[in-house]
Amino acid sequence: MLKPLINWDIYEVKTKSSSITQVMLRGRIREFCLESNRNVLVENAEDSENTVRFAVPSGEDVSKIKKYLEKILPDVYVEKIKTSIGNPVLSKIKVNLEERYNL
C-alpha cells in the first residue's frame, strides 16, 4: 500500500564569508535532525557556490535548525526558497519545475 506523498519546504544555507565546504555541514545537519527525531533531506547545491540546501516536511518549524546553524557558522543565513514540493531534488532547483518534463 502506498503512503501519501510527502511535500517538502526547501531552504538554502549560505554564509557571508565562511566556507560551507570542508566543515561536514550536510552530515552535521543530518545528525542534528536524527538526534531531534526530525525528517530532513540535505544536499550540496550544484547550481550555486558555497550553498547547502535542506528540506523538511511542509509547514514544519525550522527555528531549531537555524539556531544550530548559527551556533556553528556565525555568519550563516537560511532562506526558504520553495514551498510544498513533492519528491524534491535539492542539488539543482530547476529540476523541480514539473512543467519541464513530459511522461
Side-chain angles (χ1 to χ4, degrees), residues 9-11 17 25 28 33-35 38 46 48 50-52 54 64-65 72 75 78 87 92:
D9 293 341
I10 303 173
Y11 293 82
S17 60
L25 189 60
R28 288 174 159 194
C33 290
L34 283 170
E35 289 181 9
R38 295 194 62 161
E46 291 181 13
S48 181
N50 203 40
T51 303
V52 167
F54 71 89
K64 289 184 180 178
I65 297 172
I72 61 173
D75 62 340
V78 178
N87 297 331
K92 291 185 180 179

Side-chain angles (χ1 to χ4, degrees), residues 47-64:
D47 55 359
S48 181
E49 295 272 332
N50 203 40
T51 303
V52 167
R53 293 191 182 113
F54 71 89
V56 296
S58 287
E60 285 193 4
D61 180 22
V62 296
S63 59
K64 289 184 180 178

Side-chain angles (χ1 to χ4, degrees), residues 23-35:
V23 295
M24 299 185 295
L25 189 60
R26 292 177 301 158
R28 288 174 159 194
I29 294 169
R30 179 182 176 273
E31 186 66 26
F32 177 80
C33 290
L34 283 170
E35 289 181 9

